[in-house]
Amino acid sequence: NTAVSACERWGQWKFEMWGQWNQALRLLAEIASANLELNTITYSAAVSACEKSGQWDQALKFLLEMASAQAKLDTITYSAAVSACEKGDRWDQALGLLVEM
C-alpha cells in the first residue's frame, strides 16, 4: 500500500514528466504476482494515481478489477475515478459512477 501511495503522491507533482502511474501499475502487478492481497487501500491509491495522471480509462479498469476481486469500492475510490473521468472529459462515465455509488 505504501509503495503504491508513494507513486500516487509523487504523481501529483511529476506525473507528466515521469509517468508515475505506470510505476503504480507495475507495483500492483508485482503484488499480484507475489500472491499478496490487493485491498481497497491499494486499489484506491492506484485509481488516484491514474486520476492525477489523466488516465481515466485505467482508473475504470481498476474499478472493474476491484469488483472482480471483491474488494470494497468506497467513496474515496469512486471520487478518484469520477475525478479521472472529469479530467478526461468523460462526463457520461462520471455520471454513471455517481449513479453506481
Side-chain angles (χ1 to χ4, degrees):
N1 293 343
T2 303
V4 176
S5 291
C7 291
E8 177 261 325
R9 284 191 303 277
W10 178 252
Q12 290 178 4
W13 298 284
K14 300 290 183 184
F15 66 82
E16 289 180 4
M17 184 183 298
W18 301 104
Q20 292 302 313
W21 71 276
N22 281 321
Q23 184 63 24
L25 297 180
R26 283 192 291 275
L27 286 170
L28 284 178
E30 288 179 28
I31 291 167
S33 68
N35 292 322
L36 297 173
E37 182 180 340
L38 296 172
N39 60 26
T40 301
I41 295 167
T42 308
Y43 277 116
S44 292
V47 171
S48 184
C50 292
E51 177 261 329
K52 288 173 177 55
S53 304
Q55 303 296 321
W56 66 269
D57 53 338
Q58 188 61 51
L60 295 181
K61 287 179 187 175
F62 279 128
L63 287 183
L64 291 175
E65 276 188 42
M66 287 180 77
S68 295
Q70 297 180 343
K72 183 179 182 235
L73 292 151
D74 62 8
T75 305
I76 294 167
T77 310
Y78 270 112
S79 294
V82 167
S83 181
C85 290
E86 177 265 326
K87 288 178 180 178
D89 290 327
R90 297 303 309 232
W91 292 100
D92 55 334
Q93 297 286 346
L95 290 173
L97 291 172
L98 290 172
V99 169
E100 268 184 46
M101 290 175 68

